[in-house]
Every structure is written in structure tokens, then in C-alpha cells.
């Protein structure tokens, strides 16, 4: 069965348009020559143009340069590619998301070390020892042991026969509901950010802000944009193999006016 090319997948249309333009100038110009110019295997390029596979994100910058796209087209290309690549991943994440709430999970939600340890288990060199955990997170041996054991006790972390792994591929908390645990978690995030600004080198962190004038009714749109961006970050980065570090993305959007 042949794949249908969705006209909304703009980056594919941009690639196809460039190919057609080159063929117009040179009728003998082939897909093989086009693929060679883009430094990609011809069969892979054919599959991408037929929407049988997505363009690897690692090749996006190279394609933008070699297709000589201007700023507007470059941005449209990246937006479309990210949306295409992450769409299926978003659906999988939503299907497997496990919601935690209630008193049993208050500490898990409110204290940053718990989610950090869950992510640590994805690292290629993970060791289920308090010493290793405390060294990687900069916490005490006692705290490392406490966090790890509580995750196991609450069935959020299990041993699959070869190593410890999270029981759920994605864990989420309640949204748009006032929560003491979440308030505590966000305040801890602020303390972490302060510490990283002072003690972490600039080549290992990125902190920026934006101040804008908006309409009151744009708040829900802003939240949707932020949530989609978080999903794209997770889909694009956490699927990488041989992970070496655990990072946290913290986003705040709040009014400066009364």
C-alpha cells in the first residue's frame, strides 16, 4: 500500500518543490543526484518524499543549508518536521501516561530527587546504589538510598531481570488544579535554578526569559503552546540512545501586571 502524502506536512512539500524546480532547470536532473546533493541515500529520500518515513532530525540543519532556505522557510521547515516526527510519539506518551496524585505521592511530586532518579535509570551507566546516585545528583548517601527505595516501594521502579527501570514510561501529575505538592515542587525548582545560575558553567545550562504584551484571552493559547513544546522536547531528546546526563526543563509564564 502506498503512503499518502499529507499536504500539511510542509517540510516534505518544501523538499519536493526544490526538486521540481531543479528538474525544470535541468530535465535530466535525477532523484539520485538530488539525494547526493543533500548527502542522503536515494532510497531514504524517496521514502521521505512518499511520507513513508520522517526526515531524521539530525539532518534537518544540513537540509536547510543545502536547500538554501530563507529564514521564514527555515522556520516553517523545522516547525513542520518537529510536528511530524513527534506526532506519533505524542500519542504513545499520552496513551501510556500514568497519573500520580494523593497523599501517598506527595513527596514524589514535591521533591525533585524522585523524578531525577527515575530519569537516572535511563542512563547507560546507571548503578542502583546510593553511592552512585548521590554522586550523580550531588545529594547525601542517605537521601539517595531513601529516594531509590521509596520509588521501589511505591511500584514506580522495578527490576526487569537485568536492571532497574521505571514501571511507567511516562508519569504525569494533575493539571490546572491547585496542589500543595506542586507548589512545593515549583518552589524547589526555583531554588535549583538559583543554584545552577551560580554554580553551573554556561556551557552546561541555558536560562533565558521573554517579556511580552498580551491579551487576557491568550492565556489558554500560551499554555497549549508551552505544553506542546514540552512534548516536542521530550520526544526529540529523551528518545536518544546512550543517554549520559539528566536535565530539567522548567518553564514559567506569569503576569507582571496586577
Amino acid at each position: 500500500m502506498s503512503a499518502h502524502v499529507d499536504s500539511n506536512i510542509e517540510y516534505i512539500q518544501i523538499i519536493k518543490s526544490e526538486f521540481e524546480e531543479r528538474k525544470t532547470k535541468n530535465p535530466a536532473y535525477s532523484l539520485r543526484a538530488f539525494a547526493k546533493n543533500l548527502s542522503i541515500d536515494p532510497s531514504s529520500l524517496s521514502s521521505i518524499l512518499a511520507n513513508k518515513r520522517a526526515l531524521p532530525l539530525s539532518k534537518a540543519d544540513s537540509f536547510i543549508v543545502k536547500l538554501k532556505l530563507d529564514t521564514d522557510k527555515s522556520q516553517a521547515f523545522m516547525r513542520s518536521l518537529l510536528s511530524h516526527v513527534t506526532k506519533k510519539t505524542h500519542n504513545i506518551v499520552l496513551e501510556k501516561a500514568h497519573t500520580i496524585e494523593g497523599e501517598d505521592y506527595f513527596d514524589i511530586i514535591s521533591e525533585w530527587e524522585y523524578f531525577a532518579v527515575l530519569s537516572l535509570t535511563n542512563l547507560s551507566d546507571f548503578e542502583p546504589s546510593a553511592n552512585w546516585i548521590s554522586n550523580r545528583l550531588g545529594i547525601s548517601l542517605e537521601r539517595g538510598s531513601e529516594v531509590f527505595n521509596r520509588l521501589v516501594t511505591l511500584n514506580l521502579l522495578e527490576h526487569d531481570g537485568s536492571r532497574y527501570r521505571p514501571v511507567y514510561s511516562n508519569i504525569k501529575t494533575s493539571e490546572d488544579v491547585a496542589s500543595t505538592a506542586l507548589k512545593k515542587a515549583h518552589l524547589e525548582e526555583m531554588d535549583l535554578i538559583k543554584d545552577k545560575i551560580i554554580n553551573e558553567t554556561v556551557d552546561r545550562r541555558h536560562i533565558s526569559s521573554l517579556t511580552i504584551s498580551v491579551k487576557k484571552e491568550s492565556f489558554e493559547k500560551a499554555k497549549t503552546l508551552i505544553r506542546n513544546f514540552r512534548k516536542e522536547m521530550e520526544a526529540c531528546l529523551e528518545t536518544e540512545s546512550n543517554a549520559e546526563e539528566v536535565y530539567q526543563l522548567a518553564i514559567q509564564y506569569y503576569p507582571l501586571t496586577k
Side-chain angles (χ1 to χ4, degrees), residues 137-177:
L137 295 182
I139 58 179
S140 69
L141 282 171
E142 293 76 11
R143 182 58 172 161
S145 177
E146 176 189 8
V147 170
F148 181 82
N149 290 332
R150 185 155 173 73
L151 288 170
V152 174
T153 300
L154 289 176
N155 196 35
L156 294 175
L157 199 59
E158 67 178 359
H159 197 276
D160 66 1
S162 60
R163 62 179 294 165
Y164 278 94
R165 299 183 188 278
V167 173
Y168 305 100
S169 60
N170 187 47
I171 297 175
K172 69 175 185 177
T173 59
S174 57
E175 293 184 339
D176 299 328
V177 177

Side-chain angles (χ1 to χ4, degrees), residues 5-112:
V5 178
D6 187 343
S7 60
N8 291 324
I9 304 178
E10 189 172 1
Y11 81 91
I12 293 179
Q13 298 305 320
I14 291 173
I15 298 172
K16 291 183 71 174
S17 294
E18 177 61 24
F19 178 55
E20 293 302 326
E21 184 176 337
R22 295 187 187 188
K23 277 188 67 70
T24 299
K25 295 178 180 178
N26 177 13
Y29 192 73
S30 66
L31 186 65
R32 181 175 294 275
F34 190 41
K36 183 177 181 180
N37 178 256
L38 295 175
S39 301
I40 191 171
D41 181 76
S43 61
S44 296
L45 179 59
S46 179
S47 294
I48 290 167
L49 295 178
N51 193 19
K52 293 179 179 178
R53 60 176 292 186
L55 174 69
L57 287 170
S58 59
K59 288 189 172 292
D61 288 340
S62 173
F63 266 53
I64 287 172
V65 171
K66 291 178 179 179
L67 293 173
K68 299 179 180 179
L69 303 182
D70 60 26
T71 301
D72 289 342
K73 274 198 173 182
S74 296
Q75 292 176 350
F77 188 95
M78 284 303 303
R79 281 196 302 268
S80 173
L81 176 58
L82 284 170
S83 177
H84 188 209
V85 169
T86 60
K87 184 176 181 181
K88 184 177 292 186
T89 306
H90 289 177
N91 292 336
I92 293 172
V93 167
L94 289 173
E95 288 172 6
K96 295 184 178 180
H98 175 71
T99 301
I100 58 173
E101 53 190 352
E103 289 301 316
D104 287 344
Y105 297 102
F106 185 92
D107 293 345
I108 308 298
I109 296 170
S110 65
E111 297 170 4
W112 67 270

Side-chain angles (χ1 to χ4, degrees), residues 165-215:
R165 299 183 188 278
V167 173
Y168 305 100
S169 60
N170 187 47
I171 297 175
K172 69 175 185 177
T173 59
S174 57
E175 293 184 339
D176 299 328
V177 177
S179 165
T180 302
L182 282 174
K183 287 180 180 179
K184 184 173 182 290
H186 295 323
L187 290 173
E188 282 205 358
E189 288 172 4
M190 297 298 100
D191 289 335
L192 279 173
I193 292 171
K194 290 177 184 178
D195 176 70
K196 298 304 178 183
I197 289 174
I198 296 171
N199 298 312
E200 193 61 79
T201 57
V202 294
D203 61 321
R204 283 174 48 85
R205 61 172 170 82
H206 176 81
I207 298 173
S208 61
S209 63
L210 173 69
T211 304
I212 53 177
S213 304
V214 300
K215 292 183 178 180

